[in-house]
Amino acid sequence: MDLTITAIGVNYKTAPVEVRELFRCPVKGDRLEELPYLANLEGVEEIVLLSTCNRVEIYALLRDEKYTKNLLGEFLRLKLGNRPVGKFERYFFVKTGREAVEHILSIPAGLSSMVIGENQIVSQFKEAFELARKHGTLGKVLERLYQSAMKTAKRVRSETGISKTPVSVSYIAVLLAKKIFGVLEGVRVLLVGAGEMAELTARYLKAEKAELFVTNRTHAKALQLAKEMGAGVVEWERFKEFLRETDIAIFSTSADSYLLTADEARRLLRKRIDPIVFIDISVPRNVDPKVGELEGVFLYNIDDLKAIADKNLKTRLEEAQKGWLIVREEADKFLRWFENLKVDNLVKELNRLVDLLKEVSLSDDPKESLDRFLKRFLYTVYKSLKEHPEALESLVENLKRVVENSKPSAGVGKVSDLWKGRI
């Protein structure tokens, strides 16, 4: 038995969303139906199943690496039913040994996420291992690997800047607003349109306790969004006039021409003293670029926000390299522990087999029993040393130390006399 850690799965790097959807493993209550089935497969000692929108991955301790192919095949058959397995197998990655350990350690650290350094994966990773505990499929090895992974995640986030530079366009817009207004509590925000990115930006602002208002060409949509966000509603026909009372306006509509021209903005904001921020996330743009030239006006379009996001992403990628060094350090520590565990298990098995060998070597004559035992035992040792001669030198050195540190019992004659003819 040669215990092996393996990682098998599909993720956003290996498969498109329509393929990942086929292998999604939803939790029902506190049950994950696929887990008990996989845990009972031949060769599986421990197993964890992580299923998110971006990845479906299996982490397992196997009795031998040869069981990896069977585990993958059974999972494919379980999820695909009558669909051809071969068509989808190419989307799966298979990692074993150090490669698998480093991959698993990288997950909660956000190093393998679509958005490098994102935090949501931490709770998803924890939930996956908690489910394995509840199902009784988590044992000593994967539990230790989980602890190592959480330690790695903590180190990566505290020792690198991977999470310190935002890469979400929506969140960057909020940070820019904070730079202008300082505290955003009580700041009036008008959401023009109902684009997904603009809505997300507004939600971030809501979390900062800003006061939200919504306007839309379709009044029913404005009412629905306002209800969801706890916002006020502004009639579409008067939203431009409402800009006089607004601190931040987020534009996200499908209009094919400017909704706000420079002349309109100049007229509306002529007597305004406080600054105003326009965030134009629309393509085509909703706000005339010349509006940004007016005094007291800060205008950001999608390219401005994307440029900052790309710069921050570059910084994150650079910090991620430091994170991978931490992953390798922690992998080294875990693998040393794992190898020692395997040696301990082998020693226990050796002791058990030695005891069995003593039993099967027993006869009425104690000396004959000892002779049988030694011949059989030493034959096995010599055979193993021929197959692995590199261990011979170590065995000799260790035996020397044992002899040097041992003393014969009182009344025992020469060693050569005692053991003469025994071997």
Side-chain angles (χ1 to χ4, degrees):
M1 182 170 70
D2 185 15
L3 291 173
T4 301
I5 293 172
T6 188
I8 299 170
V10 288
N11 56 39
Y12 70 94
K13 292 180 182 177
T14 69
V17 64
E18 60 268 23
V19 172
R20 299 199 304 274
E21 286 173 346
L22 296 174
F23 299 98
R24 190 173 68 91
C25 300
V27 178
K28 298 174 181 177
D30 60 351
R31 301 294 297 170
L32 190 56
E33 292 179 357
E34 295 82 356
L35 202 52
Y37 175 80
L38 296 173
N40 286 319
L41 294 176
E42 183 183 4
V44 176
E45 294 289 310
E46 304 176 24
I47 194 164
V48 174
L49 181 55
L50 173 64
S51 180
T52 74
C53 58
N54 285 328
R55 66 183 71 245
V56 178
E57 298 183 358
I58 299 168
Y59 310 139
L61 175 69
L62 304 179
R63 282 200 290 275
D64 194 281
E65 189 174 335
K66 68 182 181 182
Y67 293 109
T68 302
K69 187 175 182 180
N70 182 59
L71 176 58
L72 172 57
E74 287 294 330
F75 181 67
L76 285 166
R77 285 186 282 275
L78 177 65
K79 299 302 292 184
L80 292 174
N82 296 324
R83 295 187 185 90
V85 169
K87 180 180 177 182
F88 295 94
E89 188 172 354
R90 63 191 176 93
Y91 291 108
F92 277 72
F93 68 83
V94 176
K95 301 175 189 287
T96 58
R98 169 176 279 276
E99 189 182 15
V101 169
E102 289 188 359
H103 174 76
I104 296 167
L105 295 183
S106 76
I107 297 298
L111 294 171
S112 296
S113 296
M114 183 182 289
V115 178
I116 299 292
E118 57 99 1
N119 288 313
Q120 186 181 7
I121 189 62
V122 179
S123 59
Q124 293 168 332
F125 189 81
K126 286 181 177 179
E127 288 166 9
F129 276 79
E130 182 57 34
L131 272 172
R133 287 189 197 96
K134 289 179 179 177
H135 284 76
T137 67
L138 191 65
K140 184 177 183 178
V141 175
L142 292 188
E143 182 66 66
R144 178 72 174 235
L145 186 55
Y146 169 75
Q147 297 299 333
S148 295
M150 298 313 295
K151 180 183 177 184
T152 301
K154 186 175 181 180
R155 283 191 62 195
V156 168
R157 296 183 196 284
S158 62
E159 296 177 27
T160 75
I162 196 169
S163 300
K164 294 175 183 175
T165 50
V167 292
S168 160
V169 166
S170 300
Y171 192 60
I172 287 168
V174 175
L175 292 182
L176 290 172
K178 287 182 81 171
K179 283 185 178 180
I180 296 166
F181 294 102
V183 177
L184 294 180
E185 184 174 0
V187 168
R188 285 191 152 200
V189 179
L190 175 62
L191 181 58
V192 183
E196 183 180 344
M197 203 178 299
E199 183 180 335
L200 182 57
T201 304
R203 291 187 187 281
Y204 280 129
L205 289 164
K206 180 74 174 179
E208 296 286 338
K209 298 183 179 179
E211 188 179 359
L212 298 184
F213 295 86
V214 178
T215 188
N216 195 290
R217 287 184 191 275
T218 306
H219 191 62
K221 287 185 179 179
L223 288 172
Q224 181 181 348
L225 185 57
K227 183 179 180 181
E228 290 175 9
M229 304 183 68
V233 177
V234 175
E235 296 287 343
W236 179 259
E237 292 74 18
R238 62 176 295 267
F239 89 81
K240 292 180 184 179
E241 292 298 323
F242 191 76
L243 291 174
R244 299 178 193 272
E245 308 168 40
T246 302
D247 299 304
I248 300 171
I250 304 171
F251 288 79
S252 181
T253 79
S254 57
D256 55 9
S257 59
Y258 297 142
L259 293 179
L260 183 65
T261 65
D263 288 339
E264 287 175 319
R266 189 177 293 107
R267 176 182 62 81
L268 291 166
L269 307 174
R270 185 172 57 233
K271 296 182 180 180
R272 188 183 179 92
I273 299 174
D274 297 326
I276 186 169
V277 176
F278 291 115
I279 299 172
D280 186 1
I281 312 179
S282 307
V283 179
R285 289 170 293 179
N286 288 172
V287 180
D288 183 346
K290 292 180 181 178
V291 170
E293 299 172 6
L294 300 177
E295 189 175 351
V297 174
F298 297 85
L299 172 62
Y300 301 101
N301 62 36
I302 187 67
D303 285 348
D304 296 327
L305 301 179
K306 187 72 167 58
I308 297 171
D310 288 344
K311 182 180 177 182
N312 287 352
L313 179 59
K314 183 180 178 182
T315 300
R316 281 199 180 197
L317 291 172
E318 290 169 354
E319 292 298 307
Q321 295 306 310
K322 300 176 187 175
W324 279 106
L325 291 176
I326 294 172
V327 165
R328 292 182 188 108
E329 286 176 16
E330 294 299 330
D332 285 341
K333 294 176 186 176
F334 173 81
L335 288 169
R336 280 196 295 272
W337 173 85
F338 186 49
E339 289 305 315
N340 288 335
L341 177 68
K342 289 201 284 187
V343 170
D344 290 343
N345 289 340
L346 285 172
V347 169
K348 289 176 184 176
E349 180 66 4
L350 179 62
N351 287 332
R352 186 184 72 82
L353 291 171
V354 166
D355 288 339
L356 284 175
L357 186 58
K358 287 177 182 177
E359 288 181 22
V360 298
S361 300
L362 284 176
S363 71
D364 294 334
D365 185 348
K367 290 182 180 180
E368 185 181 343
S369 298
L370 181 60
D371 279 343
R372 281 183 185 175
F373 169 76
L374 286 172
K375 283 179 180 178
R376 290 169 176 172
F377 181 73
L378 289 174
Y379 167 77
T380 308
V381 172
Y382 294 153
K383 189 172 184 295
S384 297
L385 289 173
K386 283 182 180 180
E387 294 173 356
H388 304 282
E390 69 278 3
L392 179 58
E393 186 176 345
S394 176
L395 176 63
V396 170
E397 289 302 316
N398 286 323
L399 191 55
K400 279 181 182 179
R401 280 193 286 271
V402 170
V403 171
E404 289 168 0
N405 295 325
S406 302
K407 295 180 181 179
S409 301
V412 176
K414 290 181 180 179
V415 173
S416 58
D417 294 334
L418 180 64
W419 295 101
K420 189 174 182 180
R422 293 283 171 85
I423 302 174

